[in-house]
Amino acid sequence: MTSNDVSAQTTGAAQDAAKKAPAKDPWELPDVSGLVVGVLGGTGDQGRGLAYRLARAGQKVIIGSRAAERARAAAQELGLGVEGADNAECARRSDVVIVAVPWEGHAATLEGLREELAGKLVVDCVNPLGFDKKGAYALKPEEGSAAEQAAALLPGSRVTAAFHHLSAVLLQDPEVEEIETDVMVLGEVRADCEIVQALAGLVPGMRGVFAGRLRNAHQVESLVANLISVNRRYKAHAGVRLTDV
């Protein structure tokens, strides 16, 4: 038997195995119960709401702020085992770090935490928006999106994008048991996205859905401007629900 024959047999066997392997169920998500989730900007409305919902679902959560005292005070108010720390300590102690800081401080915050965020799974939920007398409108960062800016600033981190379209009012309301909405998750590595999807799925009514690579983050971030207009017109707290998925 020639080397070409052996190569052909090996290739054929590999192809047969690939054909027989069942397709992975896209809703088969990893167990994230042992992960510590940090929330940078955890004293703001969005970060505080995310911290509350994840902690309420049983996740270990640390909220970060530029001032450790402020973070600890917010954590004490939330209860549920939430801890507070300055941003650097929050990043160091967490496995997954959600970035929920104001857009104006996004770049500076991440640049200052590059070392602490190295090797971490970073979830950017920042929406670059401007406001004028006509209402909210989307801004486009030089890198393309806030998530892509994060990826450029954090070459040693695994950057994803998610949690953009959630109402901070609903997140923080203890009377709201379920939040009926989908969370679009974007990233370069499917396994990282699945971790974020699983975290989203911890919140009753919420579902994490893979929505593409980071190059598609701009339109996801921009949609928040439309939701603000919807909410103002209809006095609502609208989110996003994807059909036929």
Side-chain angles (χ1 to χ4, degrees), residues 37-105:
V37 178
V39 184
L40 303 181
T43 58
D45 289 340
Q46 192 77 357
R48 185 186 179 98
L50 284 168
Y52 171 67
R53 288 292 161 176
L54 291 172
R56 182 168 164 169
Q59 205 72 26
K60 175 60 184 174
V61 176
I62 303 171
I63 59 175
S65 175
R66 286 177 297 177
E69 296 80 7
R70 187 179 177 192
R72 284 193 283 267
Q76 187 173 13
E77 289 177 9
L78 288 178
L80 300 169
V82 176
E83 295 184 43
D86 63 44
N87 282 331
E89 182 181 349
C90 174
R92 279 194 298 268
R93 292 178 56 196
S94 301
D95 302 300
V96 180
V97 180
I98 298 173
V99 181
V101 300
W103 167 240
E104 293 75 15

Side-chain angles (χ1 to χ4, degrees), residues 29 48 52-53 64 76 119 127 157 162 179 185 196 207 224:
L29 300 174
R48 185 186 179 98
Y52 171 67
R53 288 292 161 176
Q76 187 173 13
N127 302 302
S157 304
I179 300 180
V185 182
V196 182
R207 187 176 63 158
V224 174

Side-chain angles (χ1 to χ4, degrees), residues 22-30 185 190-191 193-198 207-211 244-245:
K24 183 180 182 297
D25 182 351
W27 297 112
E28 183 181 329
L29 300 174
V185 182
R190 190 66 57 86
C193 292
E194 289 177 350
I195 290 172
V196 182
Q197 288 176 257
R207 187 176 63 158
V209 181
F210 176 72
D244 199 32
V245 178

Side-chain angles (χ1 to χ4, degrees), residues 40 87-89 91 108-118 154:
L40 303 181
N87 282 331
E89 182 181 349
T109 298
L110 297 184
E111 282 179 329
L113 296 172
R114 183 176 291 128
E115 182 178 341
E116 290 82 0
L117 291 171
L154 303 172

Side-chain angles (χ1 to χ4, degrees), residues 28 49 52 76 81 88 106 111 117 121-123 139 143 161 168 189 205 216 220 225 232:
E28 183 181 329
Y52 171 67
Q76 187 173 13
H106 183 261
E111 282 179 329
L117 291 171
L121 174 54
V122 174
V123 188
L139 302 175
E143 297 85 354
V189 179
N216 293 320
V220 174
R232 286 181 174 174

